Amino acid sequence: MNLFAIRHGETAWSLSGQHTGTTNIPLTESGRRLAERMRPVLAKNAFALVLCSPMQRARETCQLAGLGDPAVIDDDLVEWNYGE
């Protein structure tokens, strides 16, 4: 069995080093391009299960990488909220 763990693409906050946490922000253009570059590599594999965080950045990465249709949104994959 092979397991792929894919982190969401770049956001403005990940680029600046800010902690994104539960803030739901979109990918940058660079983040979108990098997610799309994963598509041909991932297309060579058959996935029995694809899990995705409900956050916008994760769902967009998943879709651009070609895994959006079979993806199951799992609320347990949201980053922890460490509070104020």
Side-chain angles (χ1 to χ4, degrees), residues 1 11-12 15 23-24 34-35 39 41 43 50 59 62 73-74:
M1 174 173 78
T11 66
L15 182 62
T23 306
N24 207 7
L34 290 171
R39 183 182 287 259
V41 175
V50 176
R59 288 184 289 114
C62 191
I73 303 301
D74 187 335

Side-chain angles (χ1 to χ4, degrees), residues 25-71:
I25 59 176
L27 299 177
T28 62
E29 283 303 314
S30 177
R32 287 183 190 94
R33 281 193 305 275
L34 290 171
E36 288 173 343
R37 288 180 59 190
M38 288 189 288
R39 183 182 287 259
V41 175
L42 296 173
K44 297 175 185 175
N45 298 277
F47 292 92
L49 178 64
V50 176
L51 298 173
C52 183
S53 163
M55 301 306 283
Q56 176 184 355
R57 60 190 176 267
R59 288 184 289 114
E60 188 175 8
T61 299
C62 191
Q63 188 68 41
L64 292 169
L67 299 173
D69 290 338

